[in-house]
Amino acid sequence: MDLNQSDKTNEFSRLGKTLCWFTKTENANKIFLGLALFCSALFLADFTYHKHGHFFIEEIPGFYAAYGFFMFTLLIMGAKALRFIIKRPENYYGDKSVDSEDYPADQLEQGSK
């Protein structure tokens, strides 16, 4: 499915046409840059007011941003390590897998192209 087909966007509603902007590959860097600037602005805004936390570490400016980044990175690294434990080979189910069954061609529903 080619998401960059502009000839089919005339069939979409106004919202659909607007959301098609996100599916274009050339806009990925714009989205990433926008998110990075937004996160940086929120991090810098954390230095503009005084917080009253329950613990001393909560009062450090940027603590929650650093903590969130660290924990998210730890979560990703943990998932990568867990993948080696639970990963199975492609033919793990062997003859009992659904995609190993042979179907008669005349009984398959095939759409016209």
Side-chain angles (χ1 to χ4, degrees):
M1 178 179 188
D2 187 16
L3 296 175
N4 292 327
Q5 291 179 353
S6 60
D7 57 342
K8 293 189 177 192
T9 57
N10 57 1
E11 301 173 2
F12 297 153
S13 66
R14 176 181 276 165
L15 178 62
K17 289 177 186 177
T18 304
L19 293 176
C20 279
W21 184 83
F22 291 100
T23 63
K24 296 180 180 173
T25 55
E26 62 267 9
N27 295 330
N29 287 336
K30 295 175 188 174
I31 294 170
F32 180 76
L33 181 63
L35 284 173
L37 289 173
F38 183 67
C39 290
S40 299
L42 288 177
F43 177 74
L44 292 174
D46 201 22
F47 289 92
T48 61
Y49 64 96
H50 179 69
K51 294 180 280 301
H52 301 281
H54 292 289
F55 303 102
F56 170 74
I57 198 164
E58 292 177 314
E59 296 177 8
I60 299 172
F63 165 71
Y64 285 112
Y67 178 74
F69 181 78
F70 175 73
M71 293 309 284
F72 184 74
T73 304
L74 191 67
L75 180 70
I76 296 298
M77 296 302 171
K80 285 185 177 246
L82 186 62
R83 181 182 68 179
F84 292 112
I85 297 171
I86 63 174
K87 184 171 63 171
R88 299 288 179 249
E90 187 174 336
N91 59 353
Y92 177 73
Y93 291 104
D95 297 335
K96 296 187 174 134
S97 66
V98 174
D99 59 346
S100 69
E101 297 176 9
D102 292 327
Y103 296 103
D106 60 338
Q107 294 179 5
L108 293 174
E109 294 180 17
Q110 296 179 355
S112 61
K113 292 186 178 182

